[in-house]
Amino acid sequence: MAAGGRHAPPHPGQLVEDLETRQEKAIRTATLTLDGAPIDYRDCGDGPPLLLLPGGAGHAGVLDGLAAHLADHYRVVAMSSRLVSAPPGTEHGDQHPKTYAEDTLGLIDRLFDEPPTVFAFSASAITTLELLARHPDRLRLAVVHEPPLLGLLPDARRHRSALEAVRAAARTDGMAEAGRLMAETMTAPEPSTNSPDLRHLGDWLDGYAEALPEPPTPELLELFSVLGDFQPLFLEHILIPFTTREVDLGALRAVSSRLVPIAGIDSRGQLPYRAAAALATGLGLPLTEFPGGHLGPVERPAQFAGALRALLAEH
């Protein structure tokens, strides 16, 4: 500190270092064409390859906060879905995890010289399980956060009926009612029939009870308004085909050393958490708890990144 409490002027070399750091963290946006479909992605940082796949309709921008906290350690690429990347006015049919897994494989082949670690949450975690089962040698590690796979739950039929009702409400009653039913179905707490070993990596649990979610940045708030336009497409074309996908547990058991199921500590008892616990139990793996709930990667990016770095350091 300089006299009077003011900071001393930075050394010119420090200015260069700070500029280089900002440039390394700057997010570059680009588009690939894969099998005739445009695929948007965002790229930042330098180091071992880390691919991030967003949930919902699949807009990579929701993971900008997480990517910024990881870019000092990894080359971080966040990939949007073909639904989000398509030009306005494009007609869409049902989307499927197999197609999205092939898109992800195409991006990996185009952008990386070595198999990346893949982190994915929600619908994209289902995509990643599909990719791992079909092409395990193309992933170094798959970290899947709360894949909402109904088929892993004993009450799958009831949950499917509830999600069918969500889609029907979106068609006839509007998005507000569909959103209410969706939240009710996904977040209503219920007892779990699976009890995998629980793990917590890193030091994020210290003081967690007093730590609030991070306020969204202006950029994220602006993106939320855009994502509203994709919600009808998500409910119509992604929700049912993805949540009802049957995963190949036999194929996943054969490569379970490359798979880490995780779930948000605030999601305990909710449908996505119970599905993650069922996946871990079915594969004989522990369940690693992370900060936040189902949207932990978006709502708590700094804490989530710290936990993810601790997990990847272990592997």
Side-chain angles (χ1 to χ4, degrees), residues 84-105:
V84 166
S85 304
T90 300
E91 293 290 328
H92 297 284
D94 280 352
Q95 311 291 292
H96 295 284
K98 180 180 177 181
T99 302
Y100 279 40
E102 292 302 317
D103 288 344
T104 306
L105 181 63

mmCIF file with all atom_site columns, all heavy atoms in Angstrom, residues 84-105:
data_model
loop_
_atom_site.group_PDB
_atom_site.id
_atom_site.type_symbol
_atom_site.label_atom_id
_atom_site.label_alt_id
_atom_site.label_comp_id
_atom_site.label_asym_id
_atom_site.label_entity_id
_atom_site.label_seq_id
_atom_site.pdbx_PDB_ins_code
_atom_site.Cartn_x
_atom_site.Cartn_y
_atom_site.Cartn_z
_atom_site.occupancy
_atom_site.B_iso_or_equiv
_atom_site.pdbx_formal_charge
_atom_site.auth_seq_id
_atom_site.auth_comp_id
_atom_site.auth_asym_id
_atom_site.auth_atom_id
_atom_site.pdbx_PDB_model_num
ATOM 1   N N   . VAL A 1 84  ? -30.918 -24.964 -30.109 1.00 0.00 ? 84  VAL A N   1
ATOM 2   C CA  . VAL A 1 84  ? -30.615 -23.572 -29.798 1.00 0.00 ? 84  VAL A CA  1
ATOM 3   C C   . VAL A 1 84  ? -29.820 -22.914 -30.921 1.00 0.00 ? 84  VAL A C   1
ATOM 4   O O   . VAL A 1 84  ? -29.998 -21.725 -31.223 1.00 0.00 ? 84  VAL A O   1
ATOM 5   C CB  . VAL A 1 84  ? -29.852 -23.491 -28.461 1.00 0.00 ? 84  VAL A CB  1
ATOM 6   C CG1 . VAL A 1 84  ? -29.213 -22.125 -28.273 1.00 0.00 ? 84  VAL A CG1 1
ATOM 7   C CG2 . VAL A 1 84  ? -30.779 -23.807 -27.305 1.00 0.00 ? 84  VAL A CG2 1
ATOM 8   N N   . SER A 1 85  ? -28.946 -23.676 -31.579 1.00 0.00 ? 85  SER A N   1
ATOM 9   C CA  . SER A 1 85  ? -28.063 -23.116 -32.603 1.00 0.00 ? 85  SER A CA  1
ATOM 10  C C   . SER A 1 85  ? -28.754 -22.902 -33.941 1.00 0.00 ? 85  SER A C   1
ATOM 11  O O   . SER A 1 85  ? -28.222 -22.186 -34.796 1.00 0.00 ? 85  SER A O   1
ATOM 12  C CB  . SER A 1 85  ? -26.860 -24.048 -32.814 1.00 0.00 ? 85  SER A CB  1
ATOM 13  O OG  . SER A 1 85  ? -26.161 -24.291 -31.615 1.00 0.00 ? 85  SER A OG  1
ATOM 14  N N   . ALA A 1 86  ? -29.912 -23.495 -34.141 1.00 0.00 ? 86  ALA A N   1
ATOM 15  C CA  . ALA A 1 86  ? -30.588 -23.420 -35.443 1.00 0.00 ? 86  ALA A CA  1
ATOM 16  C C   . ALA A 1 86  ? -31.042 -21.985 -35.738 1.00 0.00 ? 86  ALA A C   1
ATOM 17  O O   . ALA A 1 86  ? -31.385 -21.228 -34.821 1.00 0.00 ? 86  ALA A O   1
ATOM 18  C CB  . ALA A 1 86  ? -31.787 -24.351 -35.458 1.00 0.00 ? 86  ALA A CB  1
ATOM 19  N N   . PRO A 1 87  ? -31.062 -21.593 -37.014 1.00 0.00 ? 87  PRO A N   1
ATOM 20  C CA  . PRO A 1 87  ? -31.551 -20.259 -37.374 1.00 0.00 ? 87  PRO A CA  1
ATOM 21  C C   . PRO A 1 87  ? -33.010 -20.071 -36.966 1.00 0.00 ? 87  PRO A C   1
ATOM 22  O O   . PRO A 1 87  ? -33.775 -21.047 -36.913 1.00 0.00 ? 87  PRO A O   1
ATOM 23  C CB  . PRO A 1 87  ? -31.407 -20.231 -38.904 1.00 0.00 ? 87  PRO A CB  1
ATOM 24  C CG  . PRO A 1 87  ? -30.426 -21.303 -39.229 1.00 0.00 ? 87  PRO A CG  1
ATOM 25  C CD  . PRO A 1 87  ? -30.599 -22.356 -38.190 1.00 0.00 ? 87  PRO A CD  1
ATOM 26  N N   . PRO A 1 88  ? -33.417 -18.841 -36.641 1.00 0.00 ? 88  PRO A N   1
ATOM 27  C CA  . PRO A 1 88  ? -34.823 -18.598 -36.293 1.00 0.00 ? 88  PRO A CA  1
ATOM 28  C C   . PRO A 1 88  ? -35.750 -19.072 -37.408 1.00 0.00 ? 88  PRO A C   1
ATOM 29  O O   . PRO A 1 88  ? -35.441 -18.947 -38.592 1.00 0.00 ? 88  PRO A O   1
ATOM 30  C CB  . PRO A 1 88  ? -34.880 -17.075 -36.127 1.00 0.00 ? 88  PRO A CB  1
ATOM 31  C CG  . PRO A 1 88  ? -33.479 -16.672 -35.803 1.00 0.00 ? 88  PRO A CG  1
ATOM 32  C CD  . PRO A 1 88  ? -32.594 -17.624 -36.554 1.00 0.00 ? 88  PRO A CD  1
ATOM 33  N N   . GLY A 1 89  ? -36.865 -19.613 -37.013 1.00 0.00 ? 89  GLY A N   1
ATOM 34  C CA  . GLY A 1 89  ? -37.829 -20.095 -37.995 1.00 0.00 ? 89  GLY A CA  1
ATOM 35  C C   . GLY A 1 89  ? -37.640 -21.536 -38.413 1.00 0.00 ? 89  GLY A C   1
ATOM 36  O O   . GLY A 1 89  ? -38.445 -22.064 -39.187 1.00 0.00 ? 89  GLY A O   1
ATOM 37  N N   . THR A 1 90  ? -36.583 -22.185 -37.921 1.00 0.00 ? 90  THR A N   1
ATOM 38  C CA  . THR A 1 90  ? -36.345 -23.583 -38.267 1.00 0.00 ? 90  THR A CA  1
ATOM 39  C C   . THR A 1 90  ? -37.447 -24.469 -37.683 1.00 0.00 ? 90  THR A C   1
ATOM 40  O O   . THR A 1 90  ? -37.853 -24.303 -36.538 1.00 0.00 ? 90  THR A O   1
ATOM 41  C CB  . THR A 1 90  ? -34.981 -24.046 -37.727 1.00 0.00 ? 90  THR A CB  1
ATOM 42  O OG1 . THR A 1 90  ? -33.948 -23.239 -38.290 1.00 0.00 ? 90  THR A OG1 1
ATOM 43  C CG2 . THR A 1 90  ? -34.721 -25.513 -38.078 1.00 0.00 ? 90  THR A CG2 1
ATOM 44  N N   . GLU A 1 91  ? -37.946 -25.382 -38.479 1.00 0.00 ? 91  GLU A N   1
ATOM 45  C CA  . GLU A 1 91  ? -38.924 -26.346 -37.991 1.00 0.00 ? 91  GLU A CA  1
ATOM 46  C C   . GLU A 1 91  ? -38.196 -27.470 -37.242 1.00 0.00 ? 91  GLU A C   1
ATOM 47  O O   . GLU A 1 91  ? -37.201 -28.008 -37.728 1.00 0.00 ? 91  GLU A O   1
ATOM 48  C CB  . GLU A 1 91  ? -39.728 -26.936 -39.152 1.00 0.00 ? 91  GLU A CB  1
ATOM 49  C CG  . GLU A 1 91  ? -40.628 -25.924 -39.844 1.00 0.00 ? 91  GLU A CG  1
ATOM 50  C CD  . GLU A 1 91  ? -41.800 -25.498 -38.960 1.00 0.00 ? 91  GLU A CD  1
ATOM 51  O OE1 . GLU A 1 91  ? -42.265 -26.348 -38.159 1.00 0.00 ? 91  GLU A OE1 1
ATOM 52  O OE2 . GLU A 1 91  ? -42.227 -24.330 -39.061 1.00 0.00 ? 91  GLU A OE2 1
ATOM 53  N N   . HIS A 1 92  ? -38.712 -27.829 -36.076 1.00 0.00 ? 92  HIS A N   1
ATOM 54  C CA  . HIS A 1 92  ? -38.068 -28.840 -35.252 1.00 0.00 ? 92  HIS A CA  1
ATOM 55  C C   . HIS A 1 92  ? -38.998 -30.016 -35.003 1.00 0.00 ? 92  HIS A C   1
ATOM 56  O O   . HIS A 1 92  ? -40.201 -29.839 -34.787 1.00 0.00 ? 92  HIS A O   1
ATOM 57  C CB  . HIS A 1 92  ? -37.658 -28.253 -33.892 1.00 0.00 ? 92  HIS A CB  1
ATOM 58  C CG  . HIS A 1 92  ? -36.649 -27.167 -33.980 1.00 0.00 ? 92  HIS A CG  1
ATOM 59  N ND1 . HIS A 1 92  ? -35.311 -27.394 -34.220 1.00 0.00 ? 92  HIS A ND1 1
ATOM 60  C CD2 . HIS A 1 92  ? -36.786 -25.814 -33.860 1.00 0.00 ? 92  HIS A CD2 1
ATOM 61  C CE1 . HIS A 1 92  ? -34.670 -26.240 -34.232 1.00 0.00 ? 92  HIS A CE1 1
ATOM 62  N NE2 . HIS A 1 92  ? -35.535 -25.278 -34.023 1.00 0.00 ? 92  HIS A NE2 1
ATOM 63  N N   . GLY A 1 93  ? -38.446 -31.215 -35.027 1.00 0.00 ? 93  GLY A N   1
ATOM 64  C CA  . GLY A 1 93  ? -39.136 -32.393 -34.539 1.00 0.00 ? 93  GLY A CA  1
ATOM 65  C C   . GLY A 1 93  ? -38.551 -32.781 -33.199 1.00 0.00 ? 93  GLY A C   1
ATOM 66  O O   . GLY A 1 93  ? -37.766 -32.040 -32.599 1.00 0.00 ? 93  GLY A O   1
ATOM 67  N N   . ASP A 1 94  ? -38.934 -33.958 -32.697 1.00 0.00 ? 94  ASP A N   1
ATOM 68  C CA  . ASP A 1 94  ? -38.393 -34.418 -31.423 1.00 0.00 ? 94  ASP A CA  1
ATOM 69  C C   . ASP A 1 94  ? -36.876 -34.561 -31.503 1.00 0.00 ? 94  ASP A C   1
ATOM 70  O O   . ASP A 1 94  ? -36.328 -35.022 -32.509 1.00 0.00 ? 94  ASP A O   1
ATOM 71  C CB  . ASP A 1 94  ? -39.011 -35.758 -31.039 1.00 0.00 ? 94  ASP A CB  1
ATOM 72  C CG  . ASP A 1 94  ? -40.398 -35.601 -30.436 1.00 0.00 ? 94  ASP A CG  1
ATOM 73  O OD1 . ASP A 1 94  ? -40.806 -34.447 -30.184 1.00 0.00 ? 94  ASP A OD1 1
ATOM 74  O OD2 . ASP A 1 94  ? -41.059 -36.622 -30.208 1.00 0.00 ? 94  ASP A OD2 1
ATOM 75  N N   . GLN A 1 95  ? -36.218 -34.164 -30.433 1.00 0.00 ? 95  GLN A N   1
ATOM 76  C CA  . GLN A 1 95  ? -34.764 -34.270 -30.311 1.00 0.00 ? 95  GLN A CA  1
ATOM 77  C C   . GLN A 1 95  ? -34.445 -35.548 -29.529 1.00 0.00 ? 95  GLN A C   1
ATOM 78  O O   . GLN A 1 95  ? -35.228 -35.979 -28.685 1.00 0.00 ? 95  GLN A O   1
ATOM 79  C CB  . GLN A 1 95  ? -34.203 -33.050 -29.585 1.00 0.00 ? 95  GLN A CB  1
ATOM 80  C CG  . GLN A 1 95  ? -34.699 -31.714 -30.128 1.00 0.00 ? 95  GLN A CG  1
ATOM 81  C CD  . GLN A 1 95  ? -34.164 -31.390 -31.504 1.00 0.00 ? 95  GLN A CD  1
ATOM 82  O OE1 . GLN A 1 95  ? -32.979 -31.141 -31.675 1.00 0.00 ? 95  GLN A OE1 1
ATOM 83  N NE2 . GLN A 1 95  ? -35.038 -31.388 -32.506 1.00 0.00 ? 95  GLN A NE2 1
ATOM 84  N N   . HIS A 1 96  ? -33.266 -36.130 -29.784 1.00 0.00 ? 96  HIS A N   1
ATOM 85  C CA  . HIS A 1 96  ? -32.952 -37.418 -29.166 1.00 0.00 ? 96  HIS A CA  1
ATOM 86  C C   . HIS A 1 96  ? -31.517 -37.431 -28.646 1.00 0.00 ? 96  HIS A C   1
ATOM 87  O O   . HIS A 1 96  ? -30.612 -36.869 -29.281 1.00 0.00 ? 96  HIS A O   1
ATOM 88  C CB  . HIS A 1 96  ? -33.150 -38.547 -30.170 1.00 0.00 ? 96  HIS A CB  1
ATOM 89  C CG  . HIS A 1 96  ? -34.586 -38.710 -30.598 1.00 0.00 ? 96  HIS A CG  1
ATOM 90  N ND1 . HIS A 1 96  ? -35.526 -39.289 -29.792 1.00 0.00 ? 96  HIS A ND1 1
ATOM 91  C CD2 . HIS A 1 96  ? -35.218 -38.335 -31.735 1.00 0.00 ? 96  HIS A CD2 1
ATOM 92  C CE1 . HIS A 1 96  ? -36.693 -39.275 -30.418 1.00 0.00 ? 96  HIS A CE1 1
ATOM 93  N NE2 . HIS A 1 96  ? -36.540 -38.710 -31.589 1.00 0.00 ? 96  HIS A NE2 1
ATOM 94  N N   . PRO A 1 97  ? -31.283 -38.073 -27.503 1.00 0.00 ? 97  PRO A N   1
ATOM 95  C CA  . PRO A 1 97  ? -29.932 -38.145 -26.939 1.00 0.00 ? 97  PRO A CA  1
ATOM 96  C C   . PRO A 1 97  ? -28.912 -38.747 -27.893 1.00 0.00 ? 97  PRO A C   1
ATOM 97  O O   . PRO A 1 97  ? -27.754 -38.313 -27.909 1.00 0.00 ? 97  PRO A O   1
ATOM 98  C CB  . PRO A 1 97  ? -30.112 -39.015 -25.692 1.00 0.00 ? 97  PRO A CB  1
ATOM 99  C CG  . PRO A 1 97  ? -31.534 -38.831 -25.311 1.00 0.00 ? 97  PRO A CG  1
ATOM 100 C CD  . PRO A 1 97  ? -32.288 -38.677 -26.598 1.00 0.00 ? 97  PRO A CD  1
ATOM 101 N N   . LYS A 1 98  ? -29.308 -39.725 -28.690 1.00 0.00 ? 98  LYS A N   1
ATOM 102 C CA  . LYS A 1 98  ? -28.350 -40.335 -29.617 1.00 0.00 ? 98  LYS A CA  1
ATOM 103 C C   . LYS A 1 98  ? -27.828 -39.313 -30.619 1.00 0.00 ? 98  LYS A C   1
ATOM 104 O O   . LYS A 1 98  ? -26.617 -39.243 -30.887 1.00 0.00 ? 98  LYS A O   1
ATOM 105 C CB  . LYS A 1 98  ? -28.997 -41.506 -30.353 1.00 0.00 ? 98  LYS A CB  1
ATOM 106 C CG  . LYS A 1 98  ? -28.060 -42.194 -31.341 1.00 0.00 ? 98  LYS A CG  1
ATOM 107 C CD  . LYS A 1 98  ? -28.749 -43.353 -32.051 1.00 0.00 ? 98  LYS A CD  1
ATOM 108 C CE  . LYS A 1 98  ? -27.811 -43.992 -33.085 1.00 0.00 ? 98  LYS A CE  1
ATOM 109 N NZ  . LYS A 1 98  ? -28.477 -45.114 -33.815 1.00 0.00 ? 98  LYS A NZ  1
ATOM 110 N N   . THR A 1 99  ? -28.723 -38.497 -31.175 1.00 0.00 ? 99  THR A N   1
ATOM 111 C CA  . THR A 1 99  ? -28.308 -37.461 -32.124 1.00 0.00 ? 99  THR A CA  1
ATOM 112 C C   . THR A 1 99  ? -27.404 -36.445 -31.444 1.00 0.00 ? 99  THR A C   1
ATOM 113 O O   . THR A 1 99  ? -26.368 -36.037 -31.991 1.00 0.00 ? 99  THR A O   1
ATOM 114 C CB  . THR A 1 99  ? -29.536 -36.752 -32.704 1.00 0.00 ? 99  THR A CB  1
ATOM 115 O OG1 . THR A 1 99  ? -30.384 -37.709 -33.331 1.00 0.00 ? 99  THR A OG1 1
ATOM 116 C CG2 . THR A 1 99  ? -29.128 -35.688 -33.721 1.00 0.00 ? 99  THR A CG2 1
ATOM 117 N N   . TYR A 1 100 ? -27.776 -36.044 -30.222 1.00 0.00 ? 100 TYR A N   1
ATOM 118 C CA  . TYR A 1 100 ? -26.973 -35.054 -29.514 1.00 0.00 ? 100 TYR A CA  1
ATOM 119 C C   . TYR A 1 100 ? -25.609 -35.630 -29.127 1.00 0.00 ? 100 TYR A C   1
ATOM 120 O O   . TYR A 1 100 ? -24.607 -34.906 -29.102 1.00 0.00 ? 100 TYR A O   1
ATOM 121 C CB  . TYR A 1 100 ? -27.724 -34.565 -28.275 1.00 0.00 ? 100 TYR A CB  1
ATOM 122 C CG  . TYR A 1 100 ? -28.750 -33.501 -28.580 1.00 0.00 ? 100 TYR A CG  1
ATOM 123 C CD1 . TYR A 1 100 ? -29.546 -33.574 -29.730 1.00 0.00 ? 100 TYR A CD1 1
ATOM 124 C CD2 . TYR A 1 100 ? -28.945 -32.424 -27.741 1.00 0.00 ? 100 TYR A CD2 1
ATOM 125 C CE1 . TYR A 1 100 ? -30.483 -32.597 -30.020 1.00 0.00 ? 100 TYR A CE1 1
ATOM 126 C CE2 . TYR A 1 100 ? -29.883 -31.441 -28.018 1.00 0.00 ? 100 TYR A CE2 1
ATOM 127 C CZ  . TYR A 1 100 ? -30.654 -31.532 -29.153 1.00 0.00 ? 100 TYR A CZ  1
ATOM 128 O OH  . TYR A 1 100 ? -31.582 -30.563 -29.451 1.00 0.00 ? 100 TYR A OH  1
ATOM 129 N N   . ALA A 1 101 ? -25.559 -36.930 -28.831 1.00 0.00 ? 101 ALA A N   1
ATOM 130 C CA  . ALA A 1 101 ? -24.273 -37.559 -28.533 1.00 0.00 ? 101 ALA A CA  1
ATOM 131 C C   . ALA A 1 101 ? -23.372 -37.544 -29.760 1.00 0.00 ? 101 ALA A C   1
ATOM 132 O O   . ALA A 1 101 ? -22.157 -37.304 -29.651 1.00 0.00 ? 101 ALA A O   1
ATOM 133 C CB  . ALA A 1 101 ? -24.496 -38.994 -28.049 1.00 0.00 ? 101 ALA A CB  1
ATOM 134 N N   . GLU A 1 102 ? -23.949 -37.776 -30.940 1.00 0.00 ? 102 GLU A N   1
ATOM 135 C CA  . GLU A 1 102 ? -23.149 -37.731 -32.163 1.00 0.00 ? 102 GLU A CA  1
ATOM 136 C C   . GLU A 1 102 ? -22.687 -36.311 -32.458 1.00 0.00 ? 102 GLU A C   1
ATOM 137 O O   . GLU A 1 102 ? -21.572 -36.095 -32.948 1.00 0.00 ? 102 GLU A O   1
ATOM 138 C CB  . GLU A 1 102 ? -23.951 -38.297 -33.335 1.00 0.00 ? 102 GLU A CB  1
ATOM 139 C CG  . GLU A 1 102 ? -24.230 -39.790 -33.233 1.00 0.00 ? 102 GLU A CG  1
ATOM 140 C CD  . GLU A 1 102 ? -22.965 -40.623 -33.117 1.00 0.00 ? 102 GLU A CD  1
ATOM 141 O OE1 . GLU A 1 102 ? -21.993 -40.334 -33.849 1.00 0.00 ? 102 GLU A OE1 1
ATOM 142 O OE2 . GLU A 1 102 ? -22.945 -41.567 -32.290 1.00 0.00 ? 102 GLU A OE2 1
ATOM 143 N N   . ASP A 1 103 ? -23.531 -35.318 -32.172 1.00 0.00 ? 103 ASP A N   1
ATOM 144 C CA  . ASP A 1 103 ? -23.099 -33.921 -32.307 1.00 0.00 ? 103 ASP A CA  1
ATOM 145 C C   . ASP A 1 103 ? -21.908 -33.646 -31.396 1.00 0.00 ? 103 ASP A C   1
ATOM 146 O O   . ASP A 1 103 ? -20.913 -33.011 -31.811 1.00 0.00 ? 103 ASP A O   1
ATOM 147 C CB  . ASP A 1 103 ? -24.241 -32.971 -31.938 1.00 0.00 ? 103 ASP A CB  1
ATOM 148 C CG  . ASP A 1 103 ? -25.344 -32.924 -32.978 1.00 0.00 ? 103 ASP A CG  1
ATOM 149 O OD1 . ASP A 1 103 ? -25.126 -33.374 -34.123 1.00 0.00 ? 103 ASP A OD1 1
ATOM 150 O OD2 . ASP A 1 103 ? -26.440 -32.423 -32.641 1.00 0.00 ? 103 ASP A OD2 1
ATOM 151 N N   . THR A 1 104 ? -22.004 -34.115 -30.160 1.00 0.00 ? 104 THR A N   1
ATOM 152 C CA  . THR A 1 104 ? -20.922 -33.888 -29.201 1.00 0.00 ? 104 THR A CA  1
ATOM 153 C C   . THR A 1 104 ? -19.640 -34.563 -29.656 1.00 0.00 ? 104 THR A C   1
ATOM 154 O O   . THR A 1 104 ? -18.543 -33.982 -29.566 1.00 0.00 ? 104 THR A O   1
ATOM 155 C CB  . THR A 1 104 ? -21.328 -34.403 -27.815 1.00 0.00 ? 104 THR A CB  1
ATOM 156 O OG1 . THR A 1 104 ? -22.577 -33.826 -27.434 1.00 0.00 ? 104 THR A OG1 1
ATOM 157 C CG2 . THR A 1 104 ? -20.284 -34.048 -26.773 1.00 0.00 ? 104 THR A CG2 1
ATOM 158 N N   . LEU A 1 105 ? -19.759 -35.772 -30.176 1.00 0.00 ? 105 LEU A N   1
ATOM 159 C CA  . LEU A 1 105 ? -18.590 -36.478 -30.693 1.00 0.00 ? 105 LEU A CA  1
ATOM 160 C C   . LEU A 1 105 ? -17.968 -35.707 -31.860 1.00 0.00 ? 105 LEU A C   1
ATOM 161 O O   . LEU A 1 105 ? -16.738 -35.589 -31.952 1.00 0.00 ? 105 LEU A O   1
ATOM 162 C CB  . LEU A 1 105 ? -18.988 -37.880 -31.141 1.00 0.00 ? 105 LEU A CB  1
ATOM 163 C CG  . LEU A 1 105 ? -17.868 -38.769 -31.690 1.00 0.00 ? 105 LEU A CG  1
ATOM 164 C CD1 . LEU A 1 105 ? -16.820 -39.038 -30.612 1.00 0.00 ? 105 LEU A CD1 1
ATOM 165 C CD2 . LEU A 1 105 ? -18.446 -40.081 -32.212 1.00 0.00 ? 105 LEU A CD2 1
#
